[in-house]
Amino acid sequence: MMKKMRLHIFIAMAVFVVMIIVGSFVDLNLNQAIFSQNNGFGLTVAALSMNLGYGVIALMGGVVCYHALKLAKVTWQKIVIGLFSLAFLGVAIYFDAGEFFGKNGWYGVAPEWVGYFIATPLMGGCSVLGYYLAKKVNNPRLWILMAIGAAFIGLSLIVGTTVVKNIFHRPRFRLAIYQEHIEFYPWWKRCSDYKHLMEIHNLSKEEFKSFPSGHTSVCALTMFVVVLLPFIMGKELKHQVVYFYCALAYTVFVAFTRLLVGAHFLSDVGMGGLITLICLYIFYEIILHNPKLYEEEKIEAVEQ
């Protein structure tokens, strides 16, 4: 039913591994060379770039919504799956809204809650798109695939944007190091006294969330949806490999803008992308070897 993407996922993973390795040696020097304080271009990319990543989650919610309304046989199934689909959309809106006028975006331009007026129609549109894609395929098991995909997306974001950040507490370059408040920490060295440093230098906890990059982790979800779309559409995605590398290029572009504004180091963005791709690879292997999750009729041979 689809061409294998394993090699291309490995290549993308290798790109981010190289970033981590190179960053281990040149993190500080690279940021010192390209940092542009309050760079308008970089902040605009930060405010807008995660729309595509969170849009993937909303799209998956639309797929689940179709199954809740059209394919579930009994009322309780419609309610359960319907609530599940709304959770997809709600999560996408909540996190996307916080990016526009949050501390990593157009901070101070407008109150953060204004972001909901932008995020709601954007994520709603992605959800509607997912609904119509599911309607076209009409596979009653597709919502199971979405549930598994959601689990791996959730895992990648929890690990990449919360767990690891709260283990290492790496200081960001843009404030903590640039203003010489705090010494430079390599990515493998944990900043254990971050609370004391926050207090004496009057810094927010946000300045100790450098490693890994949440923006890169979320933007890497664009590669996730390229791999997922053939299963949603029930047919080959023409030029899938090209789309995959476009998504990779987009993720790398966003990653380097995070260095430009001093929000992250090269090793940060490398690890952010790698975490998402590891989860993508595991998910891909599971669905590839379980075609009953996405095929209704006779299983076609998977092209090697």
Side-chain angles (χ1 to χ4, degrees):
M1 194 275 288
M2 62 166 289
K3 295 180 179 179
K4 284 195 174 183
M5 291 291 294
R6 183 185 289 113
L7 173 63
H8 305 293
I9 295 174
F10 282 157
I11 291 173
M13 291 170 66
V15 169
F16 293 107
V17 169
V18 169
M19 288 184 181
I20 297 171
I21 295 173
V22 174
S24 300
F25 297 97
V26 303
D27 264 350
L28 182 57
N29 293 335
L30 182 59
N31 275 69
Q32 289 173 333
I34 69 174
F35 175 59
S36 176
Q37 192 171 22
N38 297 322
N39 183 278
F41 174 74
L43 294 176
T44 297
V45 172
L48 300 176
S49 60
M50 297 176 86
N51 289 328
L52 291 179
Y54 289 126
V56 172
I57 300 174
L59 182 144
M60 295 172 71
V63 173
V64 176
C65 182
Y66 174 79
H67 290 275
L69 298 178
K70 300 296 182 181
L71 300 179
K73 301 300 182 182
V74 295
T75 301
W76 72 266
Q77 291 177 337
K78 291 180 181 290
I79 294 174
V80 171
I81 302 177
L83 291 175
F84 193 46
S85 69
L86 288 176
F88 277 74
L89 179 59
V91 166
I93 292 174
Y94 175 78
F95 285 105
D96 191 50
E99 299 301 324
F100 293 104
F101 304 104
K103 292 185 178 180
N104 288 305
W106 295 315
Y107 186 68
V109 174
E112 288 192 37
W113 56 264
V114 176
Y116 284 95
F117 290 98
I118 305 175
T120 300
L122 288 176
M123 297 302 103
C126 291
S127 185
V128 170
L129 175 61
Y131 179 92
Y132 282 103
L133 286 174
K135 183 178 181 180
K136 186 176 181 180
V137 176
N138 198 29
N139 183 345
R141 291 172 294 197
L142 195 54
W143 74 272
I144 302 175
L145 179 62
M146 295 299 99
I148 297 172
F152 279 96
I153 287 178
L155 177 64
S156 68
L157 297 184
I158 290 172
V159 172
T161 65
T162 304
V163 176
V164 181
K165 283 180 181 288
N166 289 326
I167 291 175
F168 286 87
H169 297 290
R170 189 183 195 186
R172 297 184 189 269
F173 178 85
R174 66 186 178 194
L175 177 62
I177 297 171
Y178 178 68
Q179 296 187 359
E180 298 183 348
H181 287 319
I182 300 170
E183 66 176 295
F184 168 73
Y185 281 76
W187 67 265
W188 60 85
K189 182 179 178 182
R190 182 172 180 267
C191 181
S192 57
D193 61 341
Y194 74 97
K195 290 184 179 180
H196 175 67
L197 293 171
M198 285 170 53
E199 182 179 349
I200 63 175
H201 296 298
N202 193 28
L203 299 173
S204 71
K205 189 176 182 179
E206 183 66 27
E207 300 310 315
F208 293 86
K209 293 184 177 181
S210 186
F211 181 80
S213 167
H215 272 74
T216 310
S217 184
V218 172
C219 289
L221 293 180
T222 53
M223 287 177 277
F224 206 111
V225 77
V226 171
V227 172
L228 189 63
L229 272 177
F231 298 102
I232 297 177
M233 298 169 66
K235 63 180 180 179
E236 295 280 2
L237 177 63
K238 190 176 181 180
H239 306 307
Q240 183 184 18
V241 173
V242 175
Y243 296 143
F244 182 83
Y245 283 106
C246 285
L248 173 60
Y250 171 74
T251 304
V252 171
F253 163 72
V254 173
F256 276 95
T257 64
R258 303 305 288 148
L259 273 64
L260 180 65
V261 297
H264 293 287
F265 296 97
L266 184 62
S267 56
D268 299 337
V269 297
M271 185 60 74
L274 181 62
I275 289 172
T276 295
L277 281 167
I278 290 174
C279 291
L280 167 58
Y281 172 69
I282 298 172
F283 168 73
Y284 174 76
E285 288 296 331
I286 290 175
I287 59 174
L288 184 67
H289 296 293
N290 288 274
K292 63 182 180 180
L293 291 174
Y294 54 85
E295 291 184 351
E296 292 184 271
E297 300 177 356
K298 183 179 179 180
I299 300 174
E300 300 176 14
V302 178
E303 185 177 337
Q304 296 297 327

